[in-house]
Amino acid sequence: MFEGIVIKATSGYYTVQSESGQFVCSLRGRLRKDDTIVTVGDRVQGEEVRPGVGVIETVLPRKSELIRPRVANVDQAVIVCALTQPEPDLNLLDRLLVVVGREGVGAILCFNKADLVSEYMGRKIARPYRKAGYTALVTSAMTGKGVKRLRSFLKGKISVFAGPSGVGKSALANAIEPGLTLETGEISEKLGRGRHTTRHAQLLALQAGGFLVDTPGFSKLSLDGIEKEELRFYFPEFLRYEGLCRFLGCLHYREPDCAVRAALQSGEIARSRYDHYIQFLEEISAIGYEKKYDKGKGGRNVLE
Ligand code: GDP
Ligand code: ZN
């Protein structure tokens, strides 16, 4: 009997990495009924039938589950944002943090291409995120700045890279361990369209232990499905004020005596973070409104 992590899945066969090596496995009959029962990232137990060949008997409960790419038990997203080229898109970054938080996945921020800007600039952009409680690294895949720290955060975990194209996700993966290359969105899309092959994500084993998902995640950035009452919980810097506002369940919008807005005034909460929160809140409310009234009148602000 062995226990390990599924690192690859191809047409009914699963490669399992265990402490005693790799096994190419098929599934025990009762697991075969549903092809979502076993996916890359699952912790499984199996029986060895021949050297290096086994049968998966049991799938252990999942901690998290991403849909695109389909990977179970991802511990954290490494969200990469370039400090320049392309210019940082903090709205997109905050949106990613919400989507990642909603999936129950941790986040590490990498402000990359530090070699192209001043040290002051890197610190300034990272500061609100550090204050909010995130691990925010200033990195350069080019010079290696911050790469050692990033590597230490990946140890023993399943991590997925996220962020727009061109920010340096592949370059960082390669700086972490030469030879680690990420599949880019463009390539898998082309394959999918041309040859009707669905490329499954794989886990790349890291030398220090832990795995990287070989495809960037969180390409879908819709806030659909997030309730306006829960959005504030994905802004960790708001949490310490929870319960201090006049109204129970305060959305920190325009309610009187709001502790979060007071913290904004005193500079404890960053303006850009709060502004994005309000923007997402209004967006969510508009989505909710459209659904409820079948896109009837639209545009009305249901928060008021
Ligand atoms: P991805 O689309 O996020 O995977 O981005 P890539 O890793 O392909 O990087 C996009 C471009 O930025 C490439 O030309 C890289 O050489 C460059 N690049 C990546 N990281 C850095 C960095 O830290 N500093 C500088 N100067 N260029 C970088
Ligand atoms: Zn409030």
Side-chain angles (χ1 to χ4, degrees):
M1 170 130 143
F2 59 84
E3 186 172 321
I5 295 179
V6 176
I7 59 167
K8 189 175 166 183
T10 36
S11 50
Y13 289 95
Y14 301 83
T15 306
V16 178
Q17 178 79 53
S18 80
E19 281 189 359
S20 48
Q22 285 188 2
F23 297 91
V24 176
C25 299
S26 53
L27 298 183
R28 183 59 78 211
R30 69 194 151 72
L31 293 177
R32 262 183 241 147
K33 280 177 233 129
D34 176 356
D35 65 2
T36 62
I37 280 184
V38 182
T39 101
V40 168
D42 270 322
R43 286 202 141 272
V44 297
Q45 294 170 332
E47 283 302 334
E48 183 169 11
V49 292
R50 286 199 308 278
V53 179
V55 178
I56 294 175
E57 306 273 357
T58 315
V59 185
L60 302 179
R62 285 177 189 156
K63 285 191 293 187
S64 67
E65 198 176 341
L66 298 189
I67 305 299
R68 277 190 69 185
R70 183 174 283 286
V71 186
N73 297 324
V74 170
D75 293 296
Q76 60 193 7
V78 178
I79 304 180
V80 185
C81 172
L83 288 161
T84 185
Q85 298 180 25
E87 285 307 299
D89 182 344
L90 298 182
N91 184 300
L92 180 79
L93 176 60
D94 290 345
R95 190 179 287 265
L96 260 168
L97 286 168
V98 168
V99 174
V100 166
R102 178 92 195 309
E103 294 295 333
V105 166
I108 289 181
L109 280 70
C110 276
F111 292 102
N112 191 41
K113 307 202 187 186
D115 54 291
L116 298 179
V117 300
S118 67
E119 231 171 83
Y120 169 78
M121 188 59 134
R123 268 204 305 272
K124 186 176 152 203
I125 292 189
R127 190 179 301 127
Y129 297 92
R130 290 180 173 155
K131 261 183 106 172
Y134 290 106
T135 297
L137 309 178
V138 176
T139 61
S140 168
M142 193 80 113
T143 66
K145 180 189 167 83
V147 169
K148 203 170 151 198
R149 279 196 78 205
L150 175 57
R151 209 182 278 131
S152 75
F153 282 108
L154 302 181
K155 196 173 167 182
K157 304 221 162 109
I158 300 180
S159 310
V160 63
F161 274 98
S165 71
V167 293
K169 296 181 297 296
S170 308
L172 277 173
N174 206 59
I176 287 160
E177 236 172 85
L180 287 186
T181 32
L182 300 183
E183 294 288 334
T184 67
E186 285 91 4
I187 288 172
S188 27
E189 259 172 45
K190 263 183 216 144
L191 279 177
R193 232 181 293 125
R195 301 186 213 150
H196 302 285
T197 45
T198 7
R199 224 194 63 83
H200 292 275
Q202 290 184 28
L203 296 186
L204 308 171
L206 297 169
Q207 273 160 23
F211 300 92
L212 270 191
V213 180
D214 75 339
T215 315
F218 301 99
S219 50
K220 186 174 157 283
L221 287 175
S222 156
L223 302 176
D224 209 356
I226 299 179
E227 303 288 337
K228 62 180 190 291
E229 292 80 10
E230 66 171 316
L231 182 66
R232 64 185 188 279
F233 301 122
Y234 308 124
F235 284 75
E237 67 267 53
F238 296 0
L239 292 182
R240 76 181 74 127
Y241 305 100
E242 191 67 25
L244 300 180
C245 305
R246 187 201 291 186
F247 294 108
L248 197 69
C250 180
L251 296 182
H252 318 316
Y253 186 64
R254 287 183 186 165
E255 298 91 335
D257 292 332
C258 168
V260 165
R261 287 218 328 278
L264 173 72
Q265 294 311 328
S266 68
E268 285 303 301
I269 286 175
R271 165 63 65 182
S272 73
R273 292 275 295 160
Y274 181 78
D275 284 352
H276 293 153
Y277 168 73
I278 293 300
Q279 197 179 321
F280 301 159
L281 195 64
E282 288 176 343
E283 190 178 319
I284 287 172
S285 304
I287 293 172
Y289 185 80
E290 276 179 25
K291 280 216 178 114
K292 201 161 165 192
Y293 297 101
D294 200 21
K295 295 191 176 169
K297 308 196 178 65
R300 209 189 88 185
N301 189 345
V302 293
L303 285 169
E304 294 181 301

